[in-house]
Amino acid sequence: MSFRASVLTLYPEMFPGPLGLSLAGRALERGDAAIETVQIRDFAEGRHRMVDDTPSGGGAGMVLRADVLARAIDHASPAGDRRPRLLMSPRGRPLDQAVVRRISEGEGVLIVCGRFEGVDERVIEGRGLTEVSVGDYVLSGGEIAALVLLDAVIRLLPGVMGNAQSGETESFETGMLEHPHYTRPAEWEGRPIPAVLTSGDHGAVERWRRAEAERLTRERRPDLLRGGRD
């Protein structure tokens, strides 16, 4: 069974977007993964098919309606669907490699792309949406965040990366940032490749890579060494 992602959005034309290229694109072509988009507006009623309304209690902006979104979710994820239901949201839990790997090991995922000021809280609770954030900033909508999540997940699916081992040593897979990389030429603008990498001593190479990973992590992301975020 291929990995199946259902993306609920007001802008289905944004998909697959960059996911149609490179590793993800080839995975979609082979059928290793499938992305279906669901137009939320199709589940709105009335002549104008309104998907949003003013926030209760007043305030700026508009809020995505619970009834409309619930109908879209029920269509894309009927009873018995075991896929996790995510809402891309700046107030969600941070997306990290552990979350990505867990999703990649399942049957797929349903992703709701929020818009406007937010989503009615009742549909988040009533349809069991887990809020996930790609960073401490605000985007115009959840579509770009969904693309980020799907790219991270699809590349981990079996057979997508040519060398599976390359995914095991990347940043965050080991709890640290990845070590520096070098390739030919042996010297560039007076900067040589570290001698240990051309020594042929595989044990020394691994020790160097581990030490460099630890150094970079201490300098740039010390929170990872403490097992959490600052």
Side-chain angles (χ1 to χ4, degrees):
M1 176 184 292
S2 65
F3 181 91
R4 184 169 65 91
S6 298
V7 181
L8 278 60
T9 173
L10 291 171
Y11 297 95
E13 61 271 21
M14 293 180 69
F15 296 86
L19 298 179
L21 306 172
S22 190
L23 287 175
R26 291 193 289 273
L28 294 175
E29 288 179 2
R30 290 193 303 267
D32 297 333
I35 299 174
E36 63 170 348
T37 56
V38 176
Q39 170 58 270
I40 297 172
R41 196 174 299 277
D42 289 344
F43 298 87
E45 298 176 339
R47 183 163 60 94
H48 298 293
R49 291 191 173 275
M50 298 296 294
V51 299
D52 59 328
D53 210 329
T54 55
S56 298
M62 304 291 278
V63 176
L64 195 59
R65 291 175 49 139
D67 55 347
V68 177
L69 184 53
R71 285 193 289 268
I73 292 172
D74 294 344
H75 167 81
S77 180
D81 185 357
R82 297 180 296 180
R83 297 177 299 164
R85 296 173 172 181
L86 308 183
L87 168 63
M88 307 312 298
S89 164
R91 73 178 195 181
R93 69 153 292 176
L95 179 65
D96 57 26
Q97 196 67 11
V99 173
V100 168
R101 185 162 290 281
R102 186 160 61 248
I103 295 172
S104 73
E105 293 170 351
E107 299 176 0
V109 64
L110 178 138
I111 304 174
V112 176
C113 300
R115 280 275 160 176
F116 315 119
E117 287 300 307
V119 171
D120 190 308
E121 191 71 20
R122 293 170 296 178
V123 75
I124 298 175
E125 298 170 355
R127 292 300 182 268
L129 301 180
T130 299
E131 296 180 74
V132 176
S133 170
V134 296
D136 296 337
Y137 44 84
V138 179
L139 300 169
S140 299
E143 286 79 11
I144 292 175
L147 290 169
V148 168
L149 185 150
L150 288 172
D151 181 81
V153 168
I154 291 173
R155 64 191 303 277
L156 293 184
L157 299 179
V160 173
M161 283 190 287
N163 183 354
Q165 186 179 7
S166 65
E168 298 172 0
T169 59
E170 293 175 326
S171 293
F172 310 114
E173 285 289 356
T174 61
M176 295 188 295
L177 300 183
E178 194 173 7
H179 58 77
H181 293 279
Y182 299 86
T183 188
R184 290 189 288 263
E187 183 173 319
W188 175 76
E189 293 189 351
R191 303 169 186 264
I193 295 175
V196 65
L197 298 181
T198 57
S199 68
D201 186 335
H202 299 297
V205 169
E206 288 305 311
R207 289 191 295 272
W208 179 88
R209 286 175 172 169
R210 174 77 183 188
E212 285 295 294
E214 291 177 351
R215 177 184 64 80
L216 288 173
T217 306
R218 278 196 306 273
E219 292 176 357
R220 302 178 184 181
R221 291 292 304 276
D223 57 297
L224 295 176
L225 296 176
R226 291 191 290 271
R229 290 176 174 262
D230 290 334

